[in-house]
Amino acid sequence: MDPRFITYLEKTLKEVSIDCVIFGFHEGELKVLLLKWKGTEWWSLPGGRIYLEESADDAVVRILQERTGLKEIFLQQFYTFGGNDRYKNTPSQGLREKLEQLFGDDFYDEKYMKRNVSMGYMALADFEQAVTTPDWYTDECKWWEISAIPELLFDHNEMIERALKALRRQLSYQPIGYNLLPEKFTMPELQRLYETILGKQLDRRNFQKLMLSYDILEKLPEKRTGGAFKSPFLYRFDKEKYDKAMQDEILFSV
Amino acid sequence: MDPRFITYLEKTLKEVSIDCVIFGFHEGELKVLLLKWKGTEWWSLPGGRIYLEESADDAVVRILQERTGLKEIFLQQFYTFGGNDRYKNTPSQGLREKLEQLFGDDFYDEKYMKRNVSMGYMALADFEQAVTTPDWYTDECKWWEISAIPELLFDHNEMIERALKALRRQLSYQPIGYNLLPEKFTMPELQRLYETILGKQLDRRNFQKLMLSYDILEKLPEKRTGGAFKSPFLYRFDKEKYDKAMQDEILFSV
């Protein structure tokens, strides 16, 4: 190979890993799955690397299955993080020493930090079905409420911000909720999901009218019973129409 | 370093490059800038690699400036291509031989092909201002109409499809046009831009009503003269309001 080209490759080698923002919805709260690094109090998003024979999409399916036990999961790329200071929030003590102890002195060398680019994927997981398992670096998994997320390692707080933004955008052209709600749900539960994602209160009547206009909901003959108030109707998504709306995207409505 | 970790790194090393879908708008047509590879009839998107000291965003600004001469350009990531068969559309003859001749036998070895992940950026360029320049691999630059794009190298046709889809989505939450239209334009010119991106005709009255409702346009006292028909009014974007709409995003409108 042309030596000029080898030099060029060496000067430009950046390598890729994956980080996952796994959202779950439970008791009216949007949550994110975080991992605690071995022997520290530092939390991060779950992630991993891509095997040579895998595509990035294969790798993320594998990583999610390893962390949550779930196979059928809504997944999409939301942003790739290619900054040069992604590791600035690496604690100089504690975690770093712990990692060096576990993996060797040059585990966190500066070159690695400058070379790593991370593909951010977001996943919508069925909270009730997920069985969480920590990875090689970590010894605890926990669902954190969006509003209570601590300071995370690396650029992982920014990752969650970006994933939330992507989720909000998605509401403007695709339906949401199939993977986040139980099979049968009430209109107030669906509204609560939208409100949690958007971070604001919505008008009850307008919300119901808009949702029904999308023609993706099936109203069930049953009602939710047991509450103190008037029993609300139950709905479920018409999967065929829902999938079609996902495909078609609700675009610029001139 | 723990030898298990070194083995893991070797098995999972994927590296990153950048490809750019540069859109321009000229004479009522949306166009994309393509490059022809030296001594071949094969076309591809412009792209490049990221220097160690650069962020991905720095690199794409540099690449775009090298290819178009433009500094102020609308730029955003739209998708990162992490497939395992991205290079299947590499011609076994012609280009490959040419590349091996230029760069050596192992330039296109299978390992490289399986290791490369590409960050896709789209750019909206001012067609009139761009001065295009080919790169190391190529000897011709040309703007191609979207509808006439030939079969491209690698997965570059898919990249253009994805970029167009991202551009269409963007219309549902952000204004568009500032970087694609001349400073002053008529409502039919703006409509033509939207129609070209969406790939469908829009109703003239509804379009005008919607556009004015966004409150980002400034109606000028001048008219476009010289045409055969009634002279249309000229508009320009109110940059402050336009930037605010870009920031705020026009979301889920309950």
Side-chain angles (χ1 to χ4, degrees):
Chain A
M1 198 185 285
D2 185 328
R4 287 173 308 164
F5 195 69
I6 294 173
T7 311
Y8 177 65
L9 287 181
E10 277 169 359
K11 277 192 191 159
T12 59
L13 183 69
K14 295 252 182 177
E15 50 108 56
V16 191
S17 61
I18 286 175
D19 286 299
C20 304
V21 180
I22 310 177
F23 290 111
F25 189 65
H26 188 60
E27 294 179 345
E29 293 293 341
L30 194 66
K31 299 185 177 186
V32 172
L33 190 67
L34 298 177
L35 305 180
K36 189 159 75 70
W37 287 55
K38 279 176 185 165
T40 74
E41 288 302 315
W42 288 92
W43 294 83
S44 80
L45 292 169
R49 299 170 61 88
I50 313 166
Y51 287 107
L52 206 51
E53 302 297 325
E54 283 179 327
S55 69
D57 288 351
D58 295 339
V60 74
V61 168
R62 174 179 54 75
I63 292 165
L64 281 164
Q65 204 179 336
E66 287 167 4
R67 293 290 76 69
T68 66
L70 300 174
K71 282 186 193 180
E72 301 285 324
I73 207 164
F74 175 85
L75 253 179
Q76 71 185 13
Q77 252 189 52
F78 65 92
Y79 195 74
T80 296
F81 297 82
N84 222 356
D85 55 355
R86 295 191 45 236
Y87 287 80
K88 69 169 181 249
N89 195 24
T90 302
S92 54
Q93 296 196 319
L95 174 68
R96 191 164 179 151
E97 279 159 18
K98 194 78 199 169
L99 287 171
E100 285 174 358
Q101 206 177 309
L102 287 165
F103 302 110
D105 282 355
D106 45 0
F107 180 70
Y108 264 92
D109 73 353
E110 207 187 334
K111 252 188 192 164
Y112 175 79
M113 293 188 208
K114 279 195 178 160
R115 289 201 190 277
N116 185 258
V117 167
S118 179
M119 295 175 71
Y121 277 84
M122 71 168 160
L124 305 182
D126 184 338
F127 186 89
E128 308 274 353
Q129 301 292 323
V131 181
T132 60
T133 314
D135 67 9
W136 199 14
Y137 307 105
T138 56
D139 57 10
E140 191 184 336
C141 286
K142 193 179 148 187
W143 291 98
W144 289 74
E145 280 182 27
I146 286 289
S147 55
I149 287 168
E151 193 191 351
L152 303 177
L153 286 175
F154 322 128
D155 50 357
H156 290 192
N157 291 89
E158 187 198 340
M159 286 182 177
I160 295 175
E161 279 305 308
R162 286 251 185 201
L164 259 178
K165 194 168 180 182
L167 199 57
R168 284 180 192 136
R169 282 181 174 174
Q170 203 183 323
L171 297 186
S172 67
Y173 57 79
Q174 280 182 328
I176 219 158
Y178 184 76
N179 303 68
L180 289 172
L181 291 170
E183 195 204 341
K184 298 172 187 179
F185 50 85
T186 64
M187 193 60 79
E189 284 163 358
L190 183 61
Q191 181 172 340
R192 180 71 193 135
L193 173 64
Y194 272 74
E195 287 178 336
T196 309
I197 294 171
L198 291 171
K200 64 177 179 189
Q201 300 232 307
L202 302 172
D203 178 77
R204 190 178 62 81
R205 276 166 195 267
N206 285 344
F207 180 81
Q208 174 154 343
K209 203 173 137 191
L210 191 77
M211 276 299 138
L212 295 176
S213 77
Y214 290 162
D215 190 29
I216 53 172
L217 290 172
E218 189 184 346
K219 193 174 184 173
L220 300 173
E222 320 145 55
K223 286 185 179 183
R224 168 76 43 86
T225 54
F229 301 98
K230 189 171 159 255
S231 310
F233 280 102
L234 285 167
Y235 292 85
R236 73 174 159 217
F237 289 112
D238 180 323
K239 191 63 172 44
E240 206 168 302
K241 289 179 178 171
Y242 187 94
D243 289 343
K244 193 171 176 314
M246 289 292 282
Q247 282 294 319
D248 292 353
E249 307 199 347
I250 305 150
L251 282 168
F252 192 71
S253 50
V254 171
Chain B
M1 197 185 286
D2 185 329
R4 288 173 309 166
F5 194 70
I6 294 173
T7 311
Y8 176 66
L9 286 181
E10 276 168 2
K11 278 192 190 157
T12 59
L13 182 68
K14 297 251 182 177
E15 50 108 56
V16 191
S17 61
I18 285 175
D19 285 300
C20 304
V21 179
I22 309 176
F23 291 110
F25 190 65
H26 187 61
E27 294 180 345
E29 295 291 342
L30 193 67
K31 300 186 178 185
V32 172
L33 190 67
L34 298 176
L35 305 181
K36 190 158 74 69
W37 288 55
K38 278 176 185 165
T40 75
E41 288 303 316
W42 287 94
W43 294 82
S44 80
L45 293 168
R49 299 171 61 89
I50 311 166
Y51 287 107
L52 206 51
E53 302 296 325
E54 282 178 329
S55 68
D57 288 352
D58 294 338
V60 73
V61 167
R62 173 180 53 77
I63 292 166
L64 280 163
Q65 203 180 336
E66 285 167 5
R67 293 290 76 69
T68 67
L70 299 174
K71 280 185 194 182
E72 300 284 323
I73 206 165
F74 175 85
L75 253 179
Q76 71 184 15
Q77 253 191 51
F78 64 93
Y79 195 75
T80 296
F81 296 82
N84 221 355
D85 55 356
R86 296 190 47 237
Y87 286 78
K88 67 170 184 250
N89 196 25
T90 302
S92 54
Q93 296 197 320
L95 173 69
R96 190 163 180 154
E97 280 159 19
K98 194 76 198 169
L99 287 172
E100 285 173 358
Q101 207 178 306
L102 285 167
F103 301 111
D105 281 355
D106 45 359
F107 179 70
Y108 264 93
D109 73 352
E110 208 186 332
K111 252 186 191 163
Y112 175 78
M113 292 186 208
K114 281 196 177 158
R115 289 199 191 278
N116 185 258
V117 167
S118 178
M119 295 176 72
Y121 277 84
M122 71 167 161
L124 305 182
D126 185 337
F127 186 91
E128 310 274 354
Q129 301 292 325
V131 180
T132 61
T133 315
D135 66 8
W136 198 13
Y137 307 106
T138 57
D139 56 10
E140 192 184 335
C141 285
K142 194 179 147 187
W143 291 97
W144 289 74
E145 280 182 24
I146 287 288
S147 55
I149 286 168
E151 194 191 348
L152 303 177
L153 286 173
F154 324 127
D155 51 355
H156 290 192
N157 291 90
E158 188 198 338
M159 286 181 176
I160 295 174
E161 279 305 306
R162 287 253 185 199
L164 258 177
K165 196 170 177 179
L167 199 56
R168 282 179 194 138
R169 281 180 174 174
Q170 203 184 324
L171 296 187
S172 66
Y173 58 79
Q174 280 181 328
I176 218 158
Y178 184 76
N179 302 70
L180 289 171
L181 291 170
E183 195 205 340
K184 298 172 186 179
F185 50 85
T186 65
M187 193 58 81
E189 284 163 358
L190 182 61
Q191 181 172 340
R192 179 72 193 135
L193 172 64
Y194 272 75
E195 287 178 335
T196 311
I197 293 172
L198 290 171
K200 65 178 181 190
Q201 300 233 307
L202 302 172
D203 178 78
R204 189 178 61 81
R205 276 168 195 266
N206 285 343
F207 180 81
Q208 174 154 344
K209 203 172 138 190
L210 191 77
M211 277 299 138
L212 294 177
S213 78
Y214 290 162
D215 189 28
I216 52 173
L217 290 172
E218 187 184 348
K219 194 174 184 174
L220 300 172
E222 320 145 55
K223 287 185 177 185
R224 167 74 44 85
T225 53
F229 300 99
K230 187 171 161 259
S231 309
F233 280 102
L234 285 167
Y235 292 85
R236 74 174 159 216
F237 289 112
D238 180 322
K239 191 64 173 43
E240 207 168 300
K241 289 179 179 172
Y242 186 95
D243 288 343
K244 190 170 181 313
M246 288 293 280
Q247 281 294 320
D248 291 352
E249 307 201 348
I250 306 149
L251 281 167
F252 192 71
S253 49
V254 173

